[in-house]
């Protein structure tokens, strides 16, 4: 751009415009992210509103009882705002949700939002440990399978990955409980901790492993560990299956590239070709995969929590389902859906931001 | 046999019928070379046969109770044992294959054509129709499927029909995406333009020319999705929201066996094995079909 005769600090000026362009790019991405998330969330609200409206049970009848006179019924209907046109009802529903009012749970008789705040950390704790297990085992497995393509190890890893799509999580949980808890006694049973530890630890973060360490109570900590190991391992297995499968396929793509052959011909050591030349370029794609499977684990915990009586949001949802506690069902659906959408879209945005090709 | 083979692999088929049969024959041979795909097809064919002949295969009635023989371990007489009402678990698993097949088939029949149509219309017309339809599709794609299905069943009420509807509602967006991507690849091609110039209506072009070309990638995707559909249906059954007792649905059977898992492990374990075998069958077949029908994915195996 600048001729050699022009001495002024062109490079410096160039750098600022480039970083400005980068900031513009990032902020545009983030704005787009917020817009998409807001739009998707609105659609999610529309879906839950629709589900709440089409429920065949009359919401008024469940409050006043079927012996109420017509006047009482009408009064309750108006008090609940059900006489207003649907669009008005929808907007007031959106307003309620945005101000954190998800209604009252019939079965716990508390605000749904405070119920959810209480149970969410348990799910977060389990899913986080699950994804850590999935990444730590799944990624090396995928890399290994790709570098030994066609060998028996590759076939075993492929089978393992496929079985992640074929084994019901609740069944694996039951069999795991029967085997490792009842027969072998290696792990503790259902629940987050043994009954006699219940209430000893004051919840600070809500994450039991963290809270017990903060309180310096190692007994509770190890008890909690022995309770979380099995469900987290099972969740981790499903994350592992997906992550290993995707890592393998990304790695195979890279390993068939010509620059890999060049590196090998130049005499670069095998491990370096594998982990530096081939693995580093796929890290951005992997982040998306890990994000997606993390979101999937939050969803998958519904089944696992039911089996393990884990007091998280999934268990809360299924208990509410069985009690036909609609406010709680819709509240839990909204929260899980919201977290799912955010992680989902965030990994999209991260992909765009981290991919060096899009940074230019 | 040899002449038949020659006729099938003829390079210049005389009729469309011969060309189609020849193509199927070549695909079938390629598929059979893949051992996993072969295993998968055998499992699926087995499932269909078992479902069709369930009353003749099952030694006992799936719902007849026999309280004198409750919770017997697997033996030569009841070779998967009996459940808490003395029913033969093997007979129930055999009859359960009918329910599984019904769920899978109905979900596919509802969601695939819906997704196919939305995707093809979206890709063919483009413009604001495309933006609107794909916007809706994306919204549904980025929502958690299982949770949404749970909420739908909660509203519709438990039962196998409602479970099928709920799963189908959450399953179509993927097909719409695929059909759209597929449509875009040949939207500008000459045979579409030629058909337009012949005066064919948009409906005719979409139905006769666009949709048939989307089917092969749809079949691959559907086969791969079957395992997920089976797992979701079983999960709904396990939570008591799907098929209701005394129907021998595999997920509901696992749920009944949950109480006895510590002492009578077979009650919950056996139906789970059936789920795994059938789901794996669909996974294997889907993987094999993808390799055969979708050459672009060749490198990604």
């Amino acid at each position: 751009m600048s001729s050699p005769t022009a001495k002024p600090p062109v490079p410096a000026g160039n750098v600022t415009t480039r970083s400005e362009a980068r900031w513009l790019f990032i902020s545009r991405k983030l704005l787009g992210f917020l817009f998409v998330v807001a739009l998707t969330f609105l659609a999610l609200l529309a879906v839950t509103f629709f589900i709440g409206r089409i429920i065949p049970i009359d919401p008024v009848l469940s409050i006043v009882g079927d012996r109420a006179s017509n006047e009482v019924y009408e009064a309750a209907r108006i008090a609940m705002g059900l006489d207003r046109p649907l669009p008005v009802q929808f907007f007031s529903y959106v307003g309620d949700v945005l101000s954190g009012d998800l209604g009252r749970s019939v079965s716990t008789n508390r605000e749904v939002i405070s119920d959810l705040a209480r149970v969410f950390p348990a799910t977060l704790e389990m899913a986080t440990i699950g994804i850590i297990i999935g990444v730590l085992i799944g990624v090396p497995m995928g890399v290994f399978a790709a570098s030994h393509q066609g060998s028996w190890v590759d076939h075993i890893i492929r089978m393992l990955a496929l079985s992640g799509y074929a084994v019901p999580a609740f069944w694996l949980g039951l069999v795991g409980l029967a085997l490792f808890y009842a027969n072998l006694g290696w792990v503790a049973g259902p629940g987050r901790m043994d009954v006699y530890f219940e209430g000893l630890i004051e919840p600070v973060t809500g994450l039991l492993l963290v809270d017990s360490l903060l309180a310096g109570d190692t007994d509770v900590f190890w008890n909690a560990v022995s309770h979380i190991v099995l469900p987290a391992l099972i969740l981790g297995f499903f994350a592992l299956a997906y992550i290993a499968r995707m890592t393998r396929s990304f790695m195979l793509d890279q390993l068939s590239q010509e620059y890999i052959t060049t590196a090998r011909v130049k005499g670069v050591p095998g491990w370096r070709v594998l982990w530096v030349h081939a693995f580093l370029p796929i890290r951005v794609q992997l982040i998306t995969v890990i994000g997606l499977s993390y979101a999937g684990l939050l969803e998958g915990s519904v089944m696992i929590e039911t089996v393990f009586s884990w007091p998280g949001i999934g268990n809360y949802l299924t208990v509410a389902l069985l009690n036909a506690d609609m406010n709680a069902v819709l509240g839990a659906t909204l929260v899980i859906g919201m977290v799912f959408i955010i992680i989902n879209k965030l990994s999209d945005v991260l992909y765009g931001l981290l991919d060096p090709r899009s940074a230019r | 046999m040899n002449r038949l083979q020659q006729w099938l692999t003829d390079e210049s088929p005389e009729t469309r019928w011969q060309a189609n049969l020849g193509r199927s024959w070549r695909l079938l041979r390629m598929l059979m070379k893949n051992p996993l795909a072969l295993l998968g097809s055998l499992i699926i064919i087995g499932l269909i046969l078992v479902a069709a002949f369930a009353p003749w295969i099952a030694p006992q009635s799936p719902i007849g109770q026999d309280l004198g023989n409750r919770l017997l371990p697997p033996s030569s007489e009841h070779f998967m044992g009996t459940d808490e009402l003395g029913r033969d678990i093997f007979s129930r698993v055999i009859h359960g294959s009918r329910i599984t097949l019904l769920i899978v088939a109905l979900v596919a029949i509802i969601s695939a054509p819906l997704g196919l149509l939305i995707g093809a219309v979206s890709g063919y017309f483009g413009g604001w129709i495309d933006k609107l339809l794909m916007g809706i599709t994306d919204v549904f794609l980025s929502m958690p499927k299982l949770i949404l299905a749970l909420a739908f069943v909660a509203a519709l009420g438990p039962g196998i029909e409602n479970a099928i509807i709920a799963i189908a509602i959450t399953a179509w967006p993927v097909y719409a995406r695929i059909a759209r991507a597929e449509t875009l690849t040949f939207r500008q091609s000459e045979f579409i333009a030629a058909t337009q110039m012949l005066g064919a209506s948009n409906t005719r072009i979409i139905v006769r020319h666009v949709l048939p070309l989307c089917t092969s990638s749809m079949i691959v995707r559907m086969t791969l999705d079957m395992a997920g559909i089976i797992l979701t249906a079983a999960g709904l059954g396990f939570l008591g929201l799907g098929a209701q007792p005394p129907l021998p649905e595999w997920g509901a059977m696992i749920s009944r066996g949950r109480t006895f898992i510590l002492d009578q492990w077979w009650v919950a374990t056996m139906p789970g094995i059936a789920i795994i075998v059938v789901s794996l069958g669909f996974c294997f077949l889907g993987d094999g079909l993808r390799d055969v029908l979708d050459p672009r994915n060749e490198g990604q195996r």
Side-chain angles (χ1 to χ4, degrees):
Chain A
M1 257 179 272
S2 60
S3 63
T5 48
K7 285 218 168 147
V10 174
N14 237 349
V15 168
T16 17
T17 50
R18 193 180 288 170
S19 75
E20 265 170 16
R22 173 117 184 102
W23 275 114
L24 204 68
F25 171 75
I26 290 178
S27 48
R28 211 169 46 216
K29 280 265 177 199
L30 287 181
L31 271 182
F33 163 72
L34 288 179
F35 179 71
V36 169
V37 165
L39 210 63
T40 317
F41 187 55
L42 200 65
L44 179 67
L45 280 173
V47 171
T48 50
F49 176 74
F50 177 68
I51 292 175
R53 287 286 311 183
I54 58 168
I55 183 170
I57 309 160
D58 190 339
V60 183
L61 222 54
S62 65
I63 300 232
V64 297
D66 53 0
R67 289 201 185 165
S69 64
N70 275 343
E71 290 80 39
V72 175
Y73 180 89
E74 267 315 303
R77 205 166 86 94
I78 291 170
M80 291 167 74
L82 293 174
D83 57 328
R84 294 172 297 168
L86 275 184
V88 178
Q89 284 189 42
F90 178 64
F91 280 114
S92 83
Y93 173 67
V94 172
D96 283 350
V97 170
L98 289 184
S99 60
D101 179 11
L102 296 175
R104 194 170 274 277
S105 158
V106 185
S107 41
T108 64
N109 204 21
R110 275 190 295 255
E111 290 287 321
V112 169
I113 189 95
S114 64
D115 271 347
L116 289 174
R118 194 168 41 83
V119 297
F120 190 70
T123 301
L124 188 70
E125 189 171 36
M126 188 160 79
T128 306
I129 295 184
I131 195 75
I132 291 173
I133 293 173
V135 172
L136 287 185
I137 304 178
V139 171
M141 256 171 117
V143 172
F144 192 83
S147 65
H148 293 71
Q149 193 193 1
S151 71
W152 60 271
V153 189
D154 182 28
H155 286 305
I156 289 179
I157 291 176
R158 209 178 154 186
M159 289 288 290
L160 207 65
L162 271 181
S163 64
Y165 293 84
V167 179
F170 52 92
W171 182 84
L172 203 59
L174 281 178
V175 173
L177 269 180
L179 194 63
F180 295 110
Y181 164 60
N183 276 328
L184 298 172
W186 290 356
V187 297
R192 259 180 124 182
M193 56 185 137
D194 287 351
V195 187
Y196 43 87
F197 286 126
E198 210 82 59
L200 280 183
I201 300 292
E202 197 61 39
V204 183
T205 58
L207 308 170
L208 190 58
L209 294 178
V210 178
D211 284 349
S212 58
L213 280 185
L214 282 181
D217 195 330
T218 47
D219 284 350
V220 176
F221 176 76
W222 287 114
N223 187 256
V225 167
S226 73
H227 274 275
I228 205 173
V229 162
L230 192 58
L233 267 178
I234 291 175
L235 267 189
F237 166 71
F238 291 100
L240 175 159
Y242 181 56
I243 292 174
R245 189 181 161 95
M246 297 313 281
T247 308
R248 177 179 179 276
S249 119
F250 295 153
M251 282 299 279
L252 281 182
D253 271 0
Q254 290 297 323
L255 288 175
S256 63
Q257 305 272 329
E258 285 182 354
Y259 76 94
I260 294 287
T261 320
T262 315
R264 285 197 206 282
V265 171
K266 273 168 63 186
V268 178
W271 63 268
R272 209 181 140 77
V273 171
L274 202 60
W275 286 99
V276 178
H277 290 95
F279 184 71
L280 281 189
I282 70 164
R283 67 192 189 280
V284 182
Q285 285 165 296
L286 268 187
I287 286 177
T288 314
V289 166
I290 292 169
L292 285 180
S293 57
Y294 191 39
L297 285 195
L298 285 175
E299 187 190 29
S301 59
V302 172
M303 288 295 168
I304 292 290
E305 284 181 6
T306 310
V307 171
F308 284 89
S309 311
W310 193 262
I313 195 166
N315 202 18
Y316 182 75
L317 175 63
T318 50
V319 169
L321 278 173
L322 298 179
N323 293 331
D325 185 354
M326 223 40 208
N327 280 342
V329 170
L330 293 182
T333 309
L334 268 181
V335 168
I336 299 177
M338 191 63 204
V339 175
F340 191 87
I341 290 168
I342 289 180
I343 295 181
N344 216 322
K345 297 292 174 194
L346 202 61
S347 52
D348 272 4
V349 173
L350 271 181
Y351 184 84
L353 288 182
L354 295 178
D355 190 351
R357 277 169 302 187
S358 65
R360 268 180 230 130
Chain B
M1 191 64 209
N2 233 344
R3 272 186 58 196
L4 178 68
Q5 201 171 334
Q6 226 165 28
W7 182 76
L8 281 170
T9 50
D10 197 345
E11 286 291 322
S12 45
E14 281 160 19
T15 57
R16 171 189 288 206
W17 167 239
Q18 185 184 357
N20 281 343
L21 268 184
R23 182 163 178 272
S24 317
W25 166 252
R26 276 193 292 273
L27 287 180
L28 194 67
R29 285 195 53 179
M30 272 162 75
L31 196 63
M32 290 305 112
K33 273 186 206 151
N34 179 341
L36 280 188
L38 183 64
L39 183 62
S41 349
L42 288 180
I43 292 175
I44 307 305
I45 293 171
L47 172 75
I48 295 172
L49 288 180
V50 164
F53 298 106
W56 291 276
I57 298 172
Q60 291 182 23
S61 150
I63 48 176
Q65 303 181 4
D66 180 8
L67 292 177
N69 285 325
R70 61 194 297 269
L71 296 171
L72 292 180
S75 63
S76 57
E77 198 184 339
H78 300 284
F79 94 105
M80 289 185 180
T82 61
D83 68 5
E84 80 282 6
L85 295 172
R87 298 172 293 197
D88 181 42
I89 294 179
F90 177 65
S91 306
R92 283 175 70 72
V93 168
I94 294 292
H95 277 273
S97 64
R98 291 185 155 189
I99 299 176
T100 300
L101 207 58
L102 178 80
I103 293 175
V104 163
L106 281 181
V107 169
I109 288 173
I110 298 172
S111 63
L114 185 68
L116 197 61
L117 196 65
I118 291 178
V121 166
S122 188
Y124 179 76
F125 287 111
W128 66 268
I129 297 182
D130 184 31
K131 284 219 174 68
L132 179 73
L133 288 179
M134 280 304 114
I136 298 174
T137 308
D138 275 351
V139 164
F140 270 92
L141 261 185
S142 54
M143 282 184 203
K145 277 187 181 179
L146 177 66
I147 308 289
L148 221 55
L150 283 177
F152 269 113
V153 179
L156 295 168
I160 190 165
E161 303 87 359
N162 292 341
I164 291 171
I165 294 173
I167 298 173
I169 288 177
T170 57
W172 65 268
V174 190
Y175 306 128
R177 272 266 156 219
I178 292 174
R180 175 176 179 269
E182 201 74 8
T183 308
L184 284 183
T185 59
F186 53 78
R187 170 73 188 87
Q188 303 299 336
S189 55
E190 284 164 7
F191 74 90
I192 298 277
T195 325
Q196 269 169 343
M197 272 183 264
L198 282 172
S201 68
N202 286 331
T203 321
R204 187 185 168 87
I205 295 179
I206 288 178
V207 173
R208 297 292 299 271
H209 300 273
V210 174
L211 290 185
L213 282 172
C214 300
T215 43
S216 73
S217 48
M218 290 290 284
I219 290 175
V220 171
R221 183 65 211 203
M222 265 167 54
T223 318
L224 286 171
D225 278 356
M226 289 299 175
I229 293 171
I230 293 175
L231 292 193
T232 312
L236 290 176
F238 179 74
L239 294 175
L241 298 170
Q244 299 296 308
L247 278 184
E249 197 270 328
W250 294 339
M253 286 170 72
I254 297 177
S255 160
R256 302 285 291 195
R258 198 180 157 188
T259 334
F260 315 105
I261 186 74
L262 300 186
D263 298 311
Q264 287 90 18
W265 53 270
W266 56 88
V267 183
T269 316
M270 296 302 179
I273 294 174
I275 296 178
I276 296 173
V277 169
V278 171
S279 305
L280 270 183
F282 278 112
C283 282
F284 289 160
L285 182 63
D287 248 24
L289 277 178
R290 181 177 52 196
D291 293 349
V292 174
L293 289 177
D294 216 0
R296 276 164 301 172
N297 275 337
E298 198 81 41
Q300 288 199 4
R301 267 175 302 165

